[in-house]
Amino acid sequence: MDLGLKGKRALVCASSKGLGLGCARALAEAGVDLVMNARGAEALEAEAQAIRDEFGVQVTTVACDVTTEEGQAQVIEAAGAADILVNNAGGPPPGMWTDWEREDFIKALDANMLTPIALIKALVPGMMERGWGRVVNITSQSVKAPIAVLGLSNSARAGLTGYVAGTARQVAGKGVTINNLLPGIHATDRADALDRGVAEREGLSLEEARAKRAATLPVGRYGTKEEFGAACAFLCSQHAGFIIGQNILLDGGGVNATL
Ligand code: NAP
């Protein structure tokens, strides 16, 4: 399927690894020029060069922490008149509901709610003026079904979800769609970090912890960043203009719910 994206320009935040990288690569394969971002310059530049070599698109890299005001200013400047915005950042640390103080919540809100909102506010007005735009926010299955140890994520992402639900319907008339992709368990560094914690607590090897978690999913395996990226590219495509303010689970059937 031709996604109709050749020559478009996308800012993909937090995209040197994992799900963000999956989105960047799928958009590049569809002919989209990219602004890629991560804090670590080395992995970012290596992945950007691999994308240039493989797909022949233009890639600009911005090595910065996108959750800071300075970082946001840098990616916004590099994005220019971007047609597509993929919001992403690292997820908050796990813990118990009694662990977190105000500062912990502020950090989680900054990273997983207020950063995507700041970038939406900066880039969507231009998209509306030009009559076309796509925003995809990488959130989490924790929006649909809370994950006990990820209370900071449950809270901050629910806030973003509420903002998107209202905002998406106010910008849709100008050709701009805003939707959320909700990853379940995907094989990335983030999943490894969480599995390592479980392995330590339960006296298992990393492989055993992984296999145990994969067995809890109807599909019996972790998702891949390629599958995730393909879904993101479709949401950004010309074919997805009627999908507004939705929360789309990519979870291998992990969330046991009818709707
Ligand atoms: P990952 O494999 O750890 O990759 C994270 C990427 O984001 C890296 O490129 C990292 O590079 C970059 N990054 C992290 N913090 C950043 C920041 N402050 N500014 C700029 N770049 C930043 O993580 P992932 O698994 O792809 O997860 C992506 C998001 O999906 C996270 O919010 C995670 O909580 C959520 N999620 C993941 C899963 C899963 O199973 N993987 C499930 C549900 C939700 P640097 O470290 O160099 O900055």
Side-chain angles (χ1 to χ4, degrees), residues 34 123 151 153 247:
L34 300 175
L123 297 183
S153 171
N247 292 282

Side-chain angles (χ1 to χ4, degrees), residues 22 38 48 66 69 90 106 130 154 170-171 175 180 184 191 195 197 211 215 238:
V66 77
E69 274 183 34
I106 297 296
R130 296 187 294 277
N154 299 340
Q170 296 172 62
V171 304
N180 303 320
D195 288 344
Q238 300 291 354

